[in-house]
């Protein structure tokens, strides 16, 4: 083969290599776009299940988590405790200190809960100043003790010497065998009202 033929072969090889490199780069770019879209989809799904202010689950997220944990508790024959938490005199706090302080109070409550709870425990905001905590594999007395510890810790880190103080009332129950969520929540809500009637800053086990 003459030099001209060699040059043609070398040129063809270079063209082929350039095309291969272009295809590889296109594939890498496509994979990057797919990863970006997947991340955006995951973020959108998380946002749909998360309270924007506090970072706790919202009601939709809580319903999903409850179904999962209830099925696990049912399958394994284990306790699933639920605590309904309602900040005391929240309207008065907003009126006295302002709505920004009210938002800070909600965020502080969730931070305090997360610091006191296990990674497997679940915190959700049902709406307004009402929150719910799921404690898998937890008996009633233990769950009540956990929420009481949160109650004691809540004032720490809150605005020093501010009035009204930041407290909550709570009702703690354990899910009954094959009990639907609405019934469990009703029992917890009844216990929470009893805590309010008992003078607030109180926990009632139902």
């Amino acid at each position: 083969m003459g030099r001209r033929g060699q040059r043609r072969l070398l040129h063809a090889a270079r063209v082929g290599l350039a095309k291969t490199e272009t295809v590889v780069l296109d594939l890498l770019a496509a994979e990057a776009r797919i990863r970006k879209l997947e991340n955006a989809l995951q973020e959108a799904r998380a946002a749909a299940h998360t309270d924007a202010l506090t970072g706790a689950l919202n009601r939709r997220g809580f319903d999903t988590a409850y179904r999962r944990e209830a099925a696990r508790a049912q399958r394994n024959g284990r306790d699933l405790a639920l605590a309904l938490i309602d900040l005391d005199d929240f309207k008065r706090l907003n009126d006295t200190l302002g709505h920004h302080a009210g938002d800070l109070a909600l965020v502080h409550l969730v931070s305090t809960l997360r610091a006191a709870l296990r990674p497997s425990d679940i915190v959700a905001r049902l709406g307004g100043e009402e929150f719910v905590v799921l404690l898998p594999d937890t008996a009633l007395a233990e769950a009540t003790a956990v929420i009481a510890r949160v109650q004691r810790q809540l004032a720490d880190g809150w605005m020093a010497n501010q009035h009204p103080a930041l407290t909550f009332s709570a009702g703690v129950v354990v899910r009954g065998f094959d009990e639907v969520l609405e019934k469990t929540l009703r029992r917890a809500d009844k216990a929470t009202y009893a805590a309010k009637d008992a003078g607030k800053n109180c926990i009632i086990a139902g």
Side-chain angles (χ1 to χ4, degrees):
M1 181 185 296
R3 290 183 177 179
R4 182 175 295 178
Q6 290 176 350
R7 285 196 298 271
R8 287 175 179 172
L9 285 175
L10 182 58
H11 176 72
R14 287 173 175 168
V15 170
L17 181 60
K19 289 181 178 179
T20 300
E21 289 176 345
T22 299
V23 170
V24 170
L25 289 174
D26 288 344
L27 287 173
L28 290 174
E31 288 178 358
R33 288 194 296 271
I34 291 171
R35 284 195 299 271
K36 187 175 181 180
L37 289 171
E38 288 175 342
N39 290 337
L41 181 59
Q42 289 177 355
E43 289 175 1
R45 285 173 176 167
H49 288 78
T50 304
D51 176 58
L53 174 64
T54 64
L57 293 178
N58 59 19
R59 180 57 194 259
R60 179 185 294 182
F62 170 70
D63 287 347
T64 300
Y66 183 88
R67 286 194 297 269
R68 181 184 68 242
E69 295 301 332
R72 182 179 298 156
Q74 192 90 354
R75 184 171 60 250
N76 299 331
R78 306 299 295 270
D79 286 329
L80 177 60
L82 182 150
L84 195 61
I85 292 174
D86 194 294
L87 284 175
D88 296 325
D89 301 315
F90 188 67
K91 183 179 184 304
R92 185 158 66 94
L93 187 150
N94 272 326
D95 292 343
T96 303
L97 302 179
H99 288 281
H100 178 65
D103 288 348
L104 291 178
L106 298 174
V107 171
H108 179 57
L109 172 60
V110 171
S111 297
T112 303
L113 283 166
R114 284 179 169 160
L117 299 177
R118 304 165 299 182
S120 59
D121 297 329
I122 294 161
V123 181
R125 184 183 181 189
L126 296 187
E129 66 272 26
E130 191 175 53
F131 293 80
V132 63
V133 178
L134 275 183
L135 301 107
D137 299 330
T138 308
L140 183 61
E142 183 184 355
T144 303
V146 169
I147 301 304
R149 185 170 69 247
V150 173
Q151 196 173 53
R152 291 191 299 271
Q153 294 173 351
L154 186 62
D156 296 340
W158 182 236
M159 302 177 186
N161 301 318
Q162 285 285 3
H163 297 283
L166 190 59
T167 65
F168 66 75
S169 300
V172 183
V173 299
V174 168
R175 174 185 177 272
F177 182 78
D178 210 24
E179 186 176 55
V180 297
L181 172 58
E182 288 73 19
K183 185 175 180 180
T184 308
L185 281 176
R186 280 198 302 270
R187 292 196 295 115
D189 191 54
K190 184 178 179 181
T192 304
Y193 272 104
K196 294 282 189 184
D197 291 340
K200 303 178 182 177
N201 194 24
C202 179
I203 300 169
I204 297 293

